[in-house]
Amino acid sequence: MSEASAPHAADRRELTAAQRNAVAELLRVSPVADELGRRFVRAGHELHLVGGSVRDALLGRLGDDLDFCTDAHPDETLRIIKGWAESIWETGREFGTIGAQRDGLRLEITTFRAESYDQVSRNPVVVYGTSLDEDLKRRDFTINAMAVSLPDHRFTDPHGGLADLSAKVIRTPSTPGESFGDDPLRMLRAARFAAQLRFAVHPDVHLAMTEMAADLDRITAERVRDEFTKLLCGADPITGLRLLVDTGLAERFLPELTGLKLEIDEHAQHKDVYEHTLTVVENAVSYEEEGCDFILRMAALLHDVGKPATKAVGSDGRVSFHHHEVVGARLTKARMKAMRYPKEVTAKVTALVALHLRFYGYGRGEWTDSAVRRYVADAGDLLPRLHKLTRSDCTTRNRRKAAQLAADYDALEDRIARIAAEEDLARVRPDLDGNAIMELLGVPPGPVVGRAWKHLKEQRLERGPLDRDAAEAELLRWARAEGIIG
């Protein structure tokens, strides 16, 4: 690749390595990319691999989704790829984007853009641009403002993105104020890229994020949610979360996180709840087996949000947060609803927050087999995540205490496994189903059957499995006591 702008001499060795990564990655996709480039050139148009695709190629991590820009308008793009692409979609047409698939690669081809914003609207007004340089200037960050022309592989980097990639810094092509004024979501994207790439934001970018944080209110909850989800699922979510809090961005959509900074954690008084929470998130990430478990990470982030509202100082000066898990679950549900997360995701995160303290006290020997059954039944399919969250929540620096907590939880998991081997803990249900209840009591479908079913489930949790005769005897005893039968 030739360079439109030469790198600084001090960066030359590292940048050469980055370019070698890019060549290797581009060779993998070039049969499709170059063929597509030749089709556009024959039609009298330009085509450039651009944005995140170039950035990821330079980092040696290019995936199967490729982004292109062109001077061709959507109708012309459709004519060029018709009959060549294996499939075509036009869902992004209003933004100048045509999608296609070829040889296992997903391609998005977007007309040069020179977006304009009215500083009030929540979405950009798309205006087609006329040149590659104009298109690159309107992009969010310099590391996303590089291009590789096709099919000749000419490299264009008018804003020093290659040097910034080497320095691992996030900077904007125009001034940060202009960039964030155009689209305030870019402030959240800066934190997201810091989390995903383990990069630092340039001081000027950090300052603009702080001064313009309130502008994030112009952005829809759905767009904020999507960026935040990507941030939390980044390789280094802690860096991204700290940026959100330090710049005031968190206060605009997740104020509960900022609120944790003022509270003292009763488990470890050497650090506040905010620092404890970040450590729990970091611990939760270490327990993931494959990819990002957003539900686990979000539960780790929000598990203590009920503490500010429940803080109390006793006569002995000790701080307590009684029932903060109950209050935290309520706050979690409300916040995730405001952020427009799906109901099923919200329900799972909320349940984990509500259950995260249940384990404490187990080591004192107070748990019966019934308590273990209820723990498993209440967690349901969230039990593996609850195991990880509970272990992540142990952040004490007292090695003896940490070792004891770990041993206690090992013992609980072993006990669950033992009881599960004897009983079907994965499906704790009454020993009689609804049909058997109706037949034995001689009642039709209705509330009585539901009450009887609930009673038998409680007995199942309390006593373990009952054989048929014992279950029927218990049902009849209950029915007589309730006056259902004589």
Side-chain angles (χ1 to χ4, degrees):
M1 292 186 300
S2 60
E3 295 179 52
S5 58
H8 299 298
D11 299 326
R12 192 174 301 279
R13 186 182 349 177
E14 291 182 79
L15 298 185
T16 300
Q19 289 174 304
R20 284 200 299 270
N21 285 334
V23 169
E25 292 292 285
L26 291 173
L27 283 174
R28 179 175 65 83
V29 301
S30 63
V32 170
D34 289 349
E35 185 178 343
L36 183 60
R38 286 191 288 270
R39 293 180 71 90
F40 273 79
V41 169
R42 285 198 299 268
H45 293 289
E46 304 173 26
L47 186 72
H48 312 274
L49 190 68
V50 74
S53 292
V54 176
R55 179 199 70 224
D56 288 344
L58 289 163
L59 292 172
R61 47 181 278 182
L62 182 62
D64 295 330
D65 294 337
L66 306 181
D67 295 323
F68 302 89
C69 67
T70 179
D71 59 338
H73 287 198
D75 286 342
E76 297 167 292
T77 294
L78 283 170
R79 284 195 291 270
I80 292 170
I81 65 174
K82 187 175 181 180
W84 175 82
E86 295 162 359
S87 61
I88 296 173
W89 55 93
E90 302 181 45
T91 51
R93 185 189 181 105
E94 64 177 309
F95 299 107
T97 300
I98 300 296
Q101 182 164 325
R102 173 83 177 194
D103 291 350
L105 298 175
R106 288 173 56 89
L107 321 171
E108 287 201 345
I109 307 162
T110 303
T111 305
F112 289 153
R113 298 211 305 231
E115 291 172 346
S116 61
Y117 300 76
D118 61 11
Q119 305 294 314
V120 176
S121 68
R122 297 178 175 187
N123 294 305
V125 177
V126 176
V127 177
Y128 292 146
T130 58
S131 70
L132 176 62
D133 283 348
E134 185 180 19
D135 183 272
L136 295 179
K137 184 179 180 180
R138 63 116 191 137
R139 292 181 178 266
D140 52 6
F141 305 112
T142 60
I143 59 173
N144 296 330
M146 299 176 281
V148 175
S149 301
L150 299 167
D152 62 346
H153 294 187
R154 177 174 51 85
F155 182 65
T156 302
D157 180 22
H159 304 288
L162 198 56
D164 288 342
L165 199 67
S166 176
K168 297 184 177 181
V169 64
I170 296 170
R171 200 166 52 84
T172 54
S174 57
T175 67
E178 290 174 322
S179 182
F180 298 156
D182 280 347
D183 186 359
L185 188 66
R186 289 173 173 172
M187 294 185 287
L188 195 51
R189 284 171 62 83
R192 189 251 285 188
F193 280 121
Q196 285 185 331
L197 302 176
R198 300 182 187 274
F199 281 20
V201 298
H202 189 277
D204 291 345
V205 172
H206 192 287
L207 179 61
M209 291 167 68
T210 304
E211 292 179 343
M212 301 177 67
D215 286 10
L216 191 65
D217 296 350
R218 290 164 41 198
I219 305 302
T220 62
E222 290 81 3
R223 293 181 73 204
V224 170
R225 174 203 63 203
D226 291 347
E227 284 297 328
F228 175 74
T229 300
K230 293 173 184 176
L231 182 156
L232 193 59
C233 279
D236 180 18
I238 307 306
T239 291
L241 292 169
R242 287 192 185 281
L243 265 173
L244 294 182
V245 172
D246 293 348
T247 59
L249 284 167
E251 191 66 31
R252 313 314 305 184
F253 69 96
L254 191 58
E256 294 82 2
L257 178 58
T258 304
L260 294 176
K261 294 195 72 170
L262 303 178
E263 303 304 321
I264 302 300
D265 185 13
E266 82 279 18
H267 293 308
Q269 298 204 12
H270 60 277
K271 55 186 156 186
D272 62 23
V273 177
Y274 171 71
E275 291 295 336
H276 164 74
T277 294
L278 296 184
T279 302
V280 174
V281 173
E282 193 170 30
N283 290 345
V285 172
S286 72
Y287 280 113
E288 291 174 343
E289 296 165 6
E290 183 178 350
C292 170
D293 185 343
F294 171 77
I295 290 171
L296 175 62
R297 293 192 187 194
M298 193 66 166
L301 182 66
L302 300 178
H303 78 286
D304 274 350
V305 294
K307 284 188 171 180
T310 58
K311 179 182 177 181
V313 181
S315 58
D316 60 356
R318 291 183 61 83
V319 176
S320 65
F321 303 95
H322 295 306
H323 305 300
H324 75 265
E325 75 280 13
V326 177
V327 174
R330 186 171 68 246
L331 292 173
T332 294
K333 183 177 181 180
R335 178 53 55 197
M336 293 188 70
K337 180 179 180 181
M339 293 178 71
R340 304 292 194 269
Y341 278 103
K343 289 182 179 179
E344 60 273 17
V345 174
T346 299
K348 290 179 179 180
V349 175
T350 300
L352 286 171
V353 172
L355 290 168
H356 84 274
L357 277 188
R358 182 79 69 87
F359 160 73
Y360 292 95
Y362 177 79
R364 296 195 295 267
E366 299 171 355
W367 283 35
T368 61
D369 282 357
S370 171
V372 175
R373 292 188 195 100
R374 291 178 188 280
Y375 187 75
V376 173
D378 289 347
D381 61 4
L382 293 173
L383 185 62
R385 287 188 174 108
L386 182 57
H387 288 333
K388 295 173 183 177
L389 177 60
T390 302
R391 290 184 182 276
S392 298
D393 196 22
C394 176
T395 63
T396 178
R397 294 179 181 176
N398 183 319
R399 292 187 178 182
R400 184 190 61 78
K401 184 177 180 181
Q404 185 60 56
L405 285 170
D408 288 346
Y409 208 83
D410 287 343
L412 175 58
E413 289 200 62
D414 289 343
R415 192 171 175 188
I416 290 172
R418 174 182 62 77
I419 298 175
E422 299 169 357
E423 310 171 15
D424 188 5
L425 280 187
R427 295 183 302 150
V428 177
R429 300 178 62 81
D431 297 284
L432 300 175
D433 63 17
N435 290 328
I437 291 170
M438 288 187 289
E439 181 179 351
L440 196 60
L441 298 184
V443 297
V448 169
V449 179
R451 287 165 52 206
W453 190 94
K454 184 176 181 180
H455 173 75
L456 289 176
K457 181 177 180 181
E458 286 296 314
Q459 291 299 306
R460 172 72 170 79
L461 289 168
E462 187 66 33
R463 298 160 58 184
L466 303 177
D467 61 30
R468 180 78 181 199
D469 289 344
E472 290 182 354
E474 176 58 35
L475 176 63
L476 293 173
R477 185 203 64 76
W478 172 83
R480 292 190 187 97
E482 292 291 313
I484 296 170
I485 61 175

